[in-house]
Amino acid sequence: MEVESVLRESDRVSAMEKVRGLADAGDVAGLDKALYHVSVDVGGDWAFDGGQLVQLLRNMPTTGRVSLLTRMTESLEETAVHAPDRCRGLASLIVLVARGLSAEELAPWREPLLDCAAAEMSFWEGWRLTCLVEVERAAGRSLPDAVIATIRRSALTSLDPGELGVLAPTFTQPVLNPGEPWAERVIADLAGAAPAWHALVAHALTASGSRPTGKWQRLGSTLLADAGPVEARRAITSWLAHAGEPRTTPVRSFHRKGTAHFELDPFNAPALRGLAALLALTPAHPQSAATLADLVEAALIRLPGIGLRSPKLASAAVHALTRLGDDDAYTELRRLASAVQYRPTLKAINTALAQRPAPPDRVASDRTCARPGGI
């Protein structure tokens, strides 16, 4: 009765005969359409017939089987637009049909997908990537870092991310997405580093917004103390010094505006804001102020056809300069006040300058209690 409620016996036999005929003929376009309709009828449950249909498809010659995988994966783009609720069932079938094929046998399907993923800032729809991840994991293979980076970005920015929102967090390495000079320096410096440094960068990634909460700052101060405040300052300034540089591996812009040389990686962006906030908690130093001021300007680079690179990052860097609060920081803020044209950022700079606290000889400084190491 349960099977009949999904697909009547006569309809099941008819569907199987149609699929078998199309498979024997090698008609992958016809198979793609037929399997879509079967998926609708069975609600994406490919165990509806005890696995007979899946086994029939697996018995196809390898070339035809791989051609079917390619056709079905390409069709997911249109399905994601017009019937997104159908994607899960079709994606499951793709994984089932691919099972048992080697990387070499899958190459005509797999390699173009890997190359395409590595070359994109983000996919508008995430189902093709979802299939790729599940097929690779089912085969026990690891994905290239550049593909993991696109998976993470697509999970954050896709119009229909599929199940990438669940899959992306399971990739814990690399800690940041490669492709940006500053991030690649972080990745390189963390190789073999003490756990305290990994914890510090992981904390930076949790920054949400341009003004960190008191709780976030307190934990940040503890982590800085573990890593060494002076050493952390030196490392963070060396990393942020490269935030204004173009990508080392350009990808196609998510905004369809050509090649993305300066667009910020949306997965890495919170870490930039977090590192700026952490730098403001380290012992005052002229290089800290200069680095944060440069970060403001790097964030306000105007990208053709897109707009400002990241006003949110500019705001975070201004807030960090204000939090730093020494003479060097206010010197940089005054310089920025005459250089910045973006009104919201300029307003934040002018507000910081207008609200500068009185010198330490008139008002007690809270720097000792706010910064690790009693500085």
Side-chain angles (χ1 to χ4, degrees):
M1 291 296 293
E2 184 177 351
V3 172
E4 292 178 355
S5 67
V6 178
L7 194 66
R8 294 193 304 273
E9 180 66 19
S10 59
D11 292 334
R12 183 177 69 80
V13 171
S14 176
M16 287 290 289
E17 289 177 349
K18 183 175 183 179
V19 169
R20 182 176 289 105
L22 292 167
D24 290 343
D27 184 356
V28 295
L31 263 179
D32 179 44
K33 292 180 181 178
L35 292 170
Y36 175 87
H37 291 300
V38 174
S39 180
V40 172
D41 289 337
V42 303
D45 177 12
W46 299 105
F48 75 97
D49 62 350
Q52 295 179 60
L53 184 146
V54 171
Q55 191 58 49
L56 186 157
L57 297 175
R58 285 181 180 167
N59 289 337
M60 291 175 65
T62 299
T63 54
R65 190 172 161 190
V66 173
S67 295
L68 176 61
L69 288 171
T70 301
R71 178 69 183 225
M72 290 183 65
T73 305
E74 291 171 348
S75 296
L76 282 178
E77 288 274 325
E78 185 176 351
T79 303
V81 173
H82 298 291
D85 58 314
R86 306 296 184 197
C87 286
R88 177 67 267 173
L90 294 171
S92 298
L93 181 60
I94 289 171
V95 176
L96 290 169
V97 173
R99 190 161 293 167
L101 292 174
S102 68
E104 291 74 19
E105 291 170 323
L106 279 173
W109 171 82
R110 179 177 178 267
E111 299 304 324
L113 259 181
L114 288 171
D115 292 343
C116 179
E120 295 283 340
M121 176 63 82
S122 179
F123 277 50
W124 285 95
E125 284 85 26
W127 281 105
R128 282 190 294 163
L129 283 178
T130 296
C131 290
L132 178 64
V133 173
E134 294 184 348
V135 167
E136 291 297 280
R137 284 190 164 172
R141 292 187 290 264
S142 298
L143 289 162
D145 288 350
V147 175
I148 292 173
T150 304
I151 290 167
R152 288 167 165 174
R153 292 190 293 261
S154 299
L156 293 171
T157 61
S158 293
L159 297 178
D160 183 3
E163 298 192 0
L164 295 182
V166 175
L167 293 172
T170 64
F171 293 100
T172 58
Q173 294 297 323
V175 64
L176 296 172
N177 284 348
E180 295 179 324
W182 73 271
E184 291 182 350
R185 286 179 175 265
V186 175
I187 294 169
D189 288 348
L190 287 184
W197 288 92
H198 292 267
L200 194 66
V201 174
H203 185 59
L205 264 170
T206 66
S208 59
S210 58
R211 291 175 175 265
T213 65
K215 181 180 179 180
W216 190 95
Q217 292 183 87
R218 286 190 294 274
L219 179 54
S221 294
T222 300
L223 295 172
L224 285 167
D226 292 340
V230 174
E231 292 80 1
R233 173 182 58 75
R234 290 172 181 161
I236 294 172
T237 54
S238 72
W239 297 336
L240 294 183
H242 299 278
E245 298 175 5
R247 291 181 59 86
T248 56
T249 53
V251 292
R252 194 158 73 107
S253 170
F254 177 69
H255 301 279
R256 300 300 186 262
K257 300 295 182 180
T259 302
H261 291 289
F262 286 95
E263 288 178 42
L264 286 183
D265 187 308
F267 178 83
N268 290 348
L272 274 178
R273 299 194 299 269
L275 289 172
L278 289 170
L279 185 57
L281 299 175
T282 63
H285 190 277
Q287 191 59 46
S288 297
T291 298
L292 289 169
D294 288 344
L295 187 60
V296 173
E297 293 180 301
L300 296 179
I301 293 173
R302 188 170 291 279
L303 306 180
I306 296 175
L308 296 179
R309 191 181 185 203
S310 178
K312 192 173 183 178
L313 175 58
S315 178
V318 169
H319 180 74
L321 270 171
T322 307
R323 181 68 181 79
L324 196 61
D326 61 355
D327 289 342
D328 295 309
Y330 282 101
T331 296
E332 293 293 348
L333 284 168
R334 286 193 295 272
R335 182 182 69 78
L336 288 170
S338 63
V340 170
Q341 297 181 352
Y342 181 59
R343 289 185 178 180
T345 302
L346 181 59
K347 180 179 179 181
I349 292 169
N350 287 330
T351 298
L353 290 170
Q355 295 178 349
R356 181 179 185 180
D361 60 338
R362 285 186 289 173
V363 176
S365 172
D366 66 349
R367 186 174 296 169
T368 299
C369 63
R371 292 190 177 166
I375 296 182

